[in-house]
Amino acid sequence: MKPAPSFRRSEPDARRQSLIEACARVLAKAGATGASVRAIATEAGVSPGLVGHYFDGVDALVAATYHHVDGKVAAALDAAVLAAGPAPRARLEAFVTASFAPPIADPQLLATWIAFWSLVTARPDIARQHDEQYAGYRARLEALLRNCGLADSALRIAAISVTALVDGLWLELCLSPACFSAKEAGTIARRHLDALTSPAG
Amino acid sequence: MKPAPSFRRSEPDARRQSLIEACARVLAKAGATGASVRAIATEAGVSPGLVGHYFDGVDALVAATYHHVDGKVAAALDAAVLAAGPAPRARLEAFVTASFAPPIADPQLLATWIAFWSLVTARPDIARQHDEQYAGYRARLEALLRNCGLADSALRIAAISVTALVDGLWLELCLSPACFSAKEAGTIARRHLDALTSPAG
DNA sequence: TTGCCTGTTGGACGATCGTACAACAACGGC
DNA sequence: GCCGTTGTTGTACGATCGTCCAACAGGCAA
């Protein structure tokens, strides 16, 4: 009889992906402080040395994880918009309220995100990643707002305000879920969109 | 001739305060990852052993720093409200827009705050501190909103929405100051208050 | 089956972490 | 001036950190 293989080989991309997802789980569970090479390797079920084989140090792994998680969120938002149909206002609402439902409204995702924020101060490359990603987020929001008839002159401020409100609601919804519900967050956000799209001036 | 004293004694409270402020500076500069006992002690200009003398480990020091920074923010908000005079609407606006001016709108303060958030997941005591502090923040906001004539039934949701918007604006204002100005943040917040206090429909 | 390639392991290495503690020295009381 | 108190120092200790690399072994070609 053959002894069970002590490990399996994987496709390089699959192994990289596995390490990235393990890194995200560790960041969510233990924060930036606990995201050590050994903890990530254990979470992924591999030996510590493998991290160095696929990434130039743990910093590069964290940066890759940031990029991956950002892509996951963007995909979830796009899917929500696509599922909303062609009506501009429905698409806008879908984009906004998707942040209050899985997989975005997830305490683990917030914990991962906070770990990234905690690195912005000390890591210029992470800071740049953050700026680019937020600029992209606001750009997509501006496009959705424009389709709802918002004047070009008001677009920038409107996108900033909606982004801030959604971020704040998402943050507190994840940090203390008992305080208010996802449904209430959606109501608040929709009311804000109403005030923006029908100026009572 | 006498040799210069190699160190000075301090009042226990003053030394504790000095360590707390040094901890806040280190958290702002290096994030939660870099907040080691030695880094904090060096920042405070004392030897590493002194931290253990005043606090039961570095975790207790971080918790104390959280409490201290929270108190500082609350004091700044109260001062802004007090300086706004007796008019309810002016007091509400002062409370809200104070978050976009020094000393609250400070990237270093945000970095400190993010370091605390990054500990919420792993540290139940920090999570409890966060819940209590946010409940207090919303309670003060509800009182200010009530004085502006808001119905009791709408108070809770209104306070949640204002808190979320202000937090989001504060977050992004500190993370990427080049994106929009403090004045614009104030305009956005005031417009939101308008929509809340004069329901159009 | 045999042998090569290389993904993978597991431990060594120096640095740094949090903590504990004996020795030192500043300061108030005598 | 001297002494006791105690705030403060500096270091030792074990644990854990990131990194590195020689050795092992799974999987494929021949």
Side-chain angles (χ1 to χ4, degrees), chain B residues 7-10 15 38 45-47 49-50 53-54:
Chain B
F7 65 91
R8 296 182 205 170
R9 296 193 170 195
S10 293
R15 185 66 83 184
R38 285 169 179 80
V46 299
S47 88
L50 205 58
H53 190 265
Y54 282 102

Side-chain angles (χ1 to χ4, degrees), chain B residues 76-130:
Chain B
L77 292 175
D78 287 344
V81 170
L82 195 64
R89 174 57 188 248
R91 291 166 66 86
L92 175 61
E93 282 194 12
F95 184 85
V96 164
T97 56
S99 293
F100 310 137
I104 298 183
D106 174 20
Q108 288 208 341
L109 178 63
L110 174 67
T112 309
W113 215 261
I114 287 174
F116 293 137
W117 283 342
S118 76
L119 299 174
V120 166
T121 306
R123 303 261 308 271
D125 58 326
I126 297 287
R128 193 172 44 77
Q129 276 194 42
H130 169 265

Side-chain angles (χ1 to χ4, degrees), chain A residues 2-201:
Chain A
K2 304 168 184 174
S6 59
F7 65 90
R8 296 184 204 168
R9 297 195 170 194
S10 293
E11 290 291 318
D13 287 346
R15 185 64 85 183
R16 285 178 65 91
Q17 202 68 12
S18 162
L19 286 170
I20 284 173
E21 287 168 5
C23 180
R25 285 196 300 274
V26 170
L27 283 172
K29 200 183 307 173
T33 307
S36 69
V37 171
R38 286 169 178 81
I40 295 168
T42 300
E43 176 71 29
V46 299
S47 87
L50 204 58
V51 173
H53 190 266
Y54 281 103
F55 297 91
D56 296 337
V58 69
D59 288 355
L61 172 53
V62 170
T65 304
Y66 193 14
H67 189 269
H68 172 254
V69 170
D70 177 37
K72 221 167 98 178
V73 169
L77 291 175
D78 287 345
V81 170
L82 195 64
R89 173 57 188 247
R91 292 166 66 87
L92 176 61
E93 282 194 13
F95 184 84
V96 165
T97 56
S99 293
F100 311 136
I104 298 183
D106 174 20
Q108 289 208 341
L109 178 65
L110 174 68
T112 309
W113 214 262
I114 287 175
F116 294 137
W117 282 341
S118 77
L119 298 175
V120 167
T121 306
R123 302 261 310 272
D125 58 326
I126 297 285
R128 192 173 46 76
Q129 277 194 39
H130 169 265
D131 284 348
E132 290 174 2
Q133 149 216 320
Y134 257 63
Y137 184 89
R138 275 195 301 268
R140 277 186 293 177
L141 193 50
E142 284 188 16
L144 291 168
L145 285 166
R146 183 186 288 114
N147 288 341
C148 286
L150 226 71
D152 280 9
S153 60
L155 227 50
R156 181 175 152 270
I157 292 295
I160 290 172
S161 77
V162 172
T163 303
L165 181 65
V166 170
D167 275 2
L169 288 170
W170 173 68
L171 184 70
E172 293 167 30
L173 190 63
C174 293
L175 274 181
S176 29
C179 183
F180 58 95
S181 69
K183 189 179 173 186
E184 288 172 326
T187 303
I188 290 172
R190 271 188 294 271
R191 201 172 300 173
H192 187 68
L193 293 178
D194 288 338
L196 281 177
T197 52
S198 64

